């Protein structure tokens, strides 16, 4: 029996350890949380594992986490003391890490395994909402230094067979990430870039869409939206793994963090279900 082909996702993952701060944040993340909770419904069949490409891990070569019980990495600053004690004890899956390593090697992409690396908040903040029981085996895969969009599109293409093997590929970043221009000051650049992103991903010509995404720096307000593109590059991986399939907007708001436009997307899967939940 073969597994159904799973969609891929690019998600805007929010800031720091926000799922553990519901009292302090007073509903500011309600719409994002609702969208993340819908993801298992959009996926349909229960995945065997998640492969997470987080904006918060870069390495000289693409690197797959091979720890069977990954520890926590508290890679954020200025949050309450208790947020440095939280735990999201999802199991790792070394066999998936090995499979990823093999796929990349077959595609001529240099890669390595890391048996020590733990989960960063680009993984556990959204996953605590998507799979709150922390029972979904998860492997993180790094970005590569240099942040070349073409290399990350190629990475996604190499990972595409995993979708037929029950592995859910999630790129975790943020569609707008300029920490110096947040709130009302970021309203105009985030809206301009987000509108371009939604229009570009809606293009049904796969080659034209990939070419436009690779040239993202030419988009309106591109470098205002992403002074450094690590939070955008997970999108390239998710797109590359479903390059010839339609995109669906599965989350959008234009008042995030006091005025920002941010979005999340699904590639492949049930477009009707995505329309009903967006």
């Amino acid at each position: 029996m073969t597994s159904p082909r799973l969609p891929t996702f690019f998600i805007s993952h929010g800031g720091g350890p926000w799922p553990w701060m519901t009292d302090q944040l007073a509903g500011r993340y309600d719409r994002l949380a609702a969208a993340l909770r819908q993801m298992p419904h959009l996926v349909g069949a229960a995945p065997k594992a998640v492969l997470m490409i987080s904006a918060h891990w870069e390495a000289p070569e693409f690197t797959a986490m091979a720890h069977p019980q990954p520890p926590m990495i508290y890679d954020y600053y200025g949050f309450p003391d208790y947020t440095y004690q939280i735990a999201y004890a999802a199991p790792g899956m070394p066999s998936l890490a090995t499979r990823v390593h093999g796929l990349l090697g077959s595609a001529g992409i240099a890669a390595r395994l890391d048996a020590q690396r733990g989960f960063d908040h680009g993984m556990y903040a959204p996953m605590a909402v998507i799979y709150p029981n922390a029972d979904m085996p998860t492997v993180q895969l790094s970005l590569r230094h240099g942040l070349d969009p073409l290399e990350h599109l190629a990475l996604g293409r190499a990972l595409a067979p995993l979708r037929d093997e029950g592995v859910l590929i999630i790129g975790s970043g943020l569609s707008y990430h300029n920490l110096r221009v947040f709130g009302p000051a970021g309203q105009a650049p985030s809206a301009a870039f987000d509108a371009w992103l939604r229009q570009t991903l809606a293009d049904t010509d796969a080659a034209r869409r990939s070419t436009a995404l690779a040239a993202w720096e030419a988009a309106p307000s591109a470098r205002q939206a992403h002074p450094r593109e690590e939070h955008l590059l997970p999108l390239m991986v998710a797109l590359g793994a479903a390059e010839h399939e339609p995109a669906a907007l599965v989350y959008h708001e234009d008042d995030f963090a006091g005025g920002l436009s941010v979005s999340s997307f699904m590639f492949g899967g049930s477009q009707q279900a995505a329309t009903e939940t967006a």
Side-chain angles (χ1 to χ4, degrees):
M1 181 177 178
T2 59
S3 299
R5 175 170 293 174
L6 299 184
T8 71
F9 288 85
F10 169 71
I11 59 172
S12 290
H13 63 220
W18 63 268
W20 288 268
M21 300 177 63
T22 53
D23 291 341
Q24 296 95 323
L25 295 174
R28 283 170 52 189
Y29 281 91
D30 284 357
R31 292 176 66 181
L32 176 57
L36 293 173
R37 282 194 293 268
Q38 284 295 317
M39 282 179 59
H41 168 70
L42 294 175
V43 173
K48 297 175 182 176
V50 165
L51 179 65
M52 175 76 76
I53 300 90
S54 166
H56 293 279
W57 186 17
E58 300 173 36
E61 296 177 334
F62 292 117
T63 303
M65 173 192 295
H67 199 303
Q69 294 293 332
M72 301 285 284
I73 298 175
Y74 302 111
D75 55 338
Y76 40 78
Y77 306 93
F79 287 88
D81 290 347
Y82 72 87
T83 64
Y84 299 90
Q85 304 297 323
I86 60 178
Y88 183 78
M93 183 181 272
S95 61
L96 174 57
T98 300
R99 172 66 172 144
V100 168
H101 187 266
L103 285 171
L104 299 190
S106 295
I109 299 173
R112 59 183 295 270
L113 299 175
D114 186 332
Q116 305 301 318
R117 169 79 185 189
F119 292 137
D120 61 57
H121 80 271
M123 178 276 187
Y124 56 76
M127 287 289 282
V129 183
I130 303 167
Y131 294 109
N133 294 328
D135 54 359
M136 178 60 66
T138 303
V139 168
Q140 282 194 230
L141 176 61
S142 77
L143 302 175
R144 185 180 179 277
H145 287 174
L147 303 178
D148 185 326
L150 290 175
E151 289 185 351
H152 289 78
L153 282 165
L155 172 65
R157 295 181 190 116
L159 297 172
L162 296 175
R163 299 177 56 209
D164 295 314
E165 300 171 17
V167 176
L168 177 62
I169 298 172
I170 301 176
S172 175
L174 202 61
S175 61
Y176 176 90
H177 193 259
N178 185 342
L179 298 180
R180 295 186 176 182
V181 187
F182 242 55
Q187 183 174 5
S190 69
F193 185 76
D194 200 81
W196 173 86
L197 191 62
R198 285 180 282 137
Q199 180 179 5
T200 299
L201 291 177
D203 194 334
T204 56
D205 184 302
R208 188 167 57 209
R209 182 175 64 175
S210 294
T211 297
L213 262 293
W216 70 274
E217 289 180 272
S221 299
R223 278 300 179 188
Q224 289 177 280
H226 292 280
R228 191 174 186 276
E229 56 267 43
E230 80 285 346
H231 274 70
L232 184 65
L233 266 291
L235 168 64
M236 308 299 175
V237 186
L239 173 65
E243 195 165 23
H244 298 281
E245 297 180 56
L249 181 71
V250 294
Y251 160 71
H252 173 77
E253 60 179 301
D254 54 15
D255 194 28
F256 179 80
L260 303 178
S261 293
V262 294
S263 296
S264 299
F265 301 90
M266 179 178 76
F267 302 94
S270 171
Q271 300 292 300
Q272 180 178 353
T275 301
E276 291 170 352
T277 58

